[in-house]
Amino acid sequence: MTSPFTHGLRSFFALGVIAATATGLATPLAWAQTPDPRQKEERTSFQTHAPWDAGLQLPADVAMCYGVDASLPDRVRQWKERGYIVHLMTGVSWGQYQDYLYGRFDGVNHVDEAQTDRNGNVISHGGDVYYMCPGPNFGAYLAQNVLKAIDAGVEAVHLEEPEFWARAGYSEGFKRAWREHYQEEWIPPHQSADAQYRASRLKYVLYRDALKQIFDAVKQKNAETGKNVKCYVPTHSLVNYALWNIVSPESSLLTVGADGFIAQVWTGTARSKNVYQGKTAERTFQTAFFEYGSMTAATRGSGGRLWFLHDPIEDDPNHDWDDYKTNWECTVVGSLFWPETTRYEVAPWPERIFHGKYPAPGSAPPPGDARRRRGGNRIPIPADYATELMTVMNTLNHMDQPEIAWDSGTRGVGLVVSDALMFQREGFKPSDPYLGNFFGLALPALQRGIPAEPVQLENLRTTDDLGRYKVLLMTYEGMKPLTNDADKVLAEWVKAGGVLLFIDDDQDVYNEVRSWWNAPGGPGYANPRQALFDALGVGRDATPGAHAVGSGTLIWDASSPAALTYKPEGADAVRKLIEQACGAAKLPYKETNHLVLHRGPYVVAAGLEAAPGESDHVLKGRFVDLFDAGLKVVDSVTLDPNRRALLLDLDRVPSDGPRVLASACKVTDEAPNGQGLSFFARGPQNITASVRVALAKAPGSVTVAGKPLDAESQTWDEASKTLLIRFPNSADAVHVEIE
């Protein structure tokens, strides 16, 4: 995962936690039980460069072995022997590419393809590990290693983070690419809006084409071998790449052979600051909600698979464990509000999570303190947090639920985004540094319980793609449509009864870039809004206000979304416009101070901003708190603005016999035994397993691995008719018997 602070892979090497090695691997017969019939769905995964060890036996379906080196075949074998489906994950934009750099691959020196900024500085991960400007043969070079991994037995490949920094574009390699692509002499990207835009669009194309070379090579390999190896791309969200000034091919990869994505959203991305009502702050839950949503939008309707990443820590090793826990819970809850996705990457680098040391709660020096780097009282992961992680990781295997029910503000509201959000972020008059052109529309809705959904402009092919929406929010501030293909779709949708709320003051200097709307011989639009308004039938010279369009409505407010974020009253102004749009769409307008989503028996909940005088929302019922290491049973949960919750609703769990309700371990071979229950439990060595079981009455005895469980490790709750048991996890499954 790329971060302005550091990079995930690099940071865990620096921490030295990769030193753990597997010793004395048990034979599969020592631990294997009945295979999980749903494992082939690849619901959960994790990425690791480590060999198997007993402390990393996570409750997931897939282990992604990171990097192609001499150790890969052995790592693949070890993880397979421990019951995992094994994939490959490897970097795309940087790595140990010296064979390519120095001509050992094709006889051509490629050092001048390293990404370079306007001051001549090469953008490096350290030494000659450069971020690359992909030349014509770069994809073919990367494909070599991918094919070696397929020969080693991986069943899918993940090509992570095709990234081109917006500040780059000055290397000789990029200049060559510019001349080839545009058939004109290179222009320094900082010189004008047009040059910056064209540089960014070229970066987008270069990595798309490089990845296509790899996809094509894998498909050829499949044809030759009869295999069906899939190609996925782990990538940051469009929202984050725009915030961090990085260009990546994003949604376009699905058009050139990608089979899906891992949405790399975690605390490090989601804690990026934004501005709301004039206040700049971290809003981890809200930002994560939209990051996961933008990746959902990129994939929606394509048939591509999508996993959501969660990271229990982050790349910055200087926060304390409480900070990591709080922000991880925010990202988990933010992801679970997108029920279209039921697959998750539960941990990147579990070796740094479970073998690393980080500041104890309250011991991290504050940001800016010179002692912060590597300071604080560094300790291993707290026991309760480790148990909580196991509970949630295991729960994520069960998120494919048929029943979905919302308790929120108005639904049916979309927010249009384009990959071009990444094209105006550096050099000449970049868009708002906090991405206010996006958050200025997104946050006013979400903060009052309206779950506005990102809508990928490039994916709009027919009005069916907009069938879930009654109202669309839209601006061209900070982004410009790559083509006019979506104009017809938007126009047909509005004419059929949709309401388009367009907020834009036409002052973005990037309206002047050379593109389809002002191409020689064309209609000569001053900006892409005029082209859209012509398609809607209101004309390029329409004035701000409401305009009838067939059975629908266009509402144009000539404000800058980014400027509104800096005004205390800006969010209210946007909400009034949304309310007006909902009225025109005959969609009941409702604000709430919470989001609650029922996914079968699971309850996902977040407290939000309250209107003046409004009390915090309270959930009432019988719940198991899945963010509690003891799986506490509670009868109410108060959703204050900082509360995030993941609960199991006991009143929605089928009541036919004894069963495991929640567990901090992987449970297999679950079998009722009269009024009792038996099962096998497996998890990372020495992490405490908490298991809550539904029973008709208090048990007579509990044994774990053939030994009686002591009284202090079991608690009967008469009100809920549930039993809590706690015992040390084991990488080799232990048998649990409840009589």
Side-chain angles (χ1 to χ4, degrees), residues 526-566:
N527 55 59
R529 177 197 60 77
Q530 291 185 343
L532 173 60
F533 282 20
D534 257 3
L536 288 165
V538 300
R540 69 174 71 187
D541 297 323
T543 56
H547 302 265
V549 179
S551 299
T553 305
L554 164 70
I555 300 172
W556 177 25
D557 183 86
S559 299
S560 159
L564 289 172
T565 68
Y566 295 96

Side-chain angles (χ1 to χ4, degrees), residues 88-229:
L88 168 75
M89 184 184 288
T90 191
V92 172
S93 56
W94 63 271
Q96 299 294 332
Y97 301 152
Q98 286 77 13
D99 284 350
Y100 179 77
L101 284 171
Y102 302 123
R104 294 190 288 270
F105 166 63
D106 58 3
V108 178
N109 187 292
H110 296 282
V111 171
D112 69 355
E113 293 174 17
Q115 294 182 30
T116 305
D117 68 18
R118 64 184 289 188
N119 297 314
N121 299 313
V122 173
I123 302 174
S124 169
H125 243 290
D128 57 359
V129 179
Y130 304 134
Y131 279 91
M132 297 300 296
C133 166
N137 286 338
F138 186 64
Y141 167 73
L142 295 178
Q144 291 183 122
N145 284 338
V146 170
L147 299 182
K148 291 176 185 176
I150 294 173
D151 290 337
V154 303
E155 298 182 41
V157 297
H158 298 258
L159 305 161
E160 77 157 341
E161 298 177 337
E163 297 173 345
F164 214 129
W165 289 93
R167 70 179 186 271
Y170 296 82
S171 68
E172 290 303 316
F174 186 76
K175 294 174 184 178
R176 284 195 301 272
W178 180 296
R179 289 190 287 266
E180 174 68 23
H181 185 76
Y182 289 122
Q183 294 297 297
E184 66 179 29
E185 189 51 50
W186 170 79
I187 305 171
H190 65 277
Q191 194 171 91
S192 67
D194 184 65
Q196 181 63 48
Y197 186 87
R198 290 165 78 78
S200 296
R201 187 158 186 175
L202 176 56
K203 295 169 185 178
Y204 182 86
V205 169
L206 289 174
Y207 264 114
R208 182 197 67 196
D209 292 351
L211 280 167
K212 183 179 185 302
Q213 290 180 314
I214 307 174
F215 301 153
D216 290 348
V218 172
K219 288 176 172 55
Q220 180 62 35
K221 181 79 168 180
N222 286 340
E224 294 169 356
T225 62
K227 294 182 177 181
N228 186 26
V229 175

Side-chain angles (χ1 to χ4, degrees), residues 437-726:
N437 45 299
F438 172 79
F439 286 109
L441 303 181
L443 284 175
L446 182 61
Q447 289 286 60
R448 294 294 176 85
I450 299 171
E453 298 184 2
V455 178
Q456 187 77 37
L457 188 66
E458 289 79 13
N459 288 353
L460 298 184
R461 298 173 182 87
T462 73
T463 54
D464 290 344
D465 297 320
L466 294 172
R468 60 196 291 126
Y469 306 109
K470 299 293 185 182
V471 171
L472 285 180
L473 315 181
M474 192 170 179
T475 186
Y476 283 149
E477 180 180 277
M479 70 179 197
K480 305 295 170 284
L482 303 179
T483 71
N484 65 345
D485 293 348
D487 283 1
K488 180 181 178 182
V489 178
L490 290 165
E492 290 178 356
W493 175 80
V494 175
K495 291 172 183 176
V499 176
L500 178 63
L501 172 55
F502 199 89
I503 303 178
D504 198 313
D505 63 2
D506 282 352
Q507 298 303 303
D508 189 341
V509 68
Y510 282 75
N511 284 325
E512 301 171 7
V513 304
R514 288 177 285 169
S515 196
W516 57 267
W517 61 86
N518 56 20
Y525 296 116
N527 55 59
R529 177 197 60 77
Q530 291 185 343
L532 173 60
F533 282 20
D534 257 3
L536 288 165
V538 300
R540 69 174 71 187
D541 297 323
T543 56
H547 302 265
V549 179
S551 299
T553 305
L554 164 70
I555 300 172
W556 177 25
D557 183 86
S559 299
S560 159
L564 289 172
T565 68
Y566 295 96
K567 299 178 179 179
E569 70 279 8
D572 285 336
V574 172
R575 282 190 285 265
K576 287 178 182 177
L577 289 167
I578 296 173
E579 184 175 9
Q580 179 187 354
C582 288
K586 298 181 173 57
L587 179 66
Y589 180 79
K590 177 185 176 184
E591 295 182 6
T592 63
N593 62 356
H594 60 274
L595 284 183
V596 178
L597 176 63
H598 296 268
R599 298 179 66 159
Y602 299 104
V603 183
V604 187
L608 297 166
E609 175 184 83
E614 187 177 14
S615 300
D616 294 333
H617 186 68
V618 179
L619 299 173
K620 293 186 179 295
R622 297 187 309 144
F623 307 108
V624 177
D625 186 349
L626 299 175
F627 283 161
D628 180 73
L631 297 174
K632 182 166 54 179
V633 177
V634 297
D635 56 16
S636 67
V637 176
T638 300
L639 298 177
D640 66 61
N642 295 314
R643 182 69 190 273
R644 319 294 172 220
L646 177 59
L647 310 166
L648 177 69
D649 187 341
L650 293 174
D651 294 325
R652 292 177 182 242
V653 175
S655 57
D656 50 346
R659 64 180 57 207
V660 173
L661 297 169
S663 64
C665 53
K666 184 162 188 172
V667 170
T668 60
D669 297 85
E670 186 177 353
N673 179 14
Q675 291 186 325
L677 188 70
S678 69
F679 56 87
F680 285 90
R682 187 167 75 252
Q685 202 79 24
N686 298 324
I687 291 178
T688 299
S690 290
V691 182
R692 190 165 287 280
V693 181
L695 298 170
K697 60 181 182 180
S701 67
V702 180
T703 61
V704 177
K707 298 179 181 179
L709 188 66
D710 60 76
E712 291 77 16
S713 298
Q714 52 182 299
T715 305
W716 173 252
D717 184 74
E718 180 65 27
S720 64
K721 299 291 185 183
T722 64
L723 171 70
L724 174 70
I725 58 175
R726 290 168 64 84

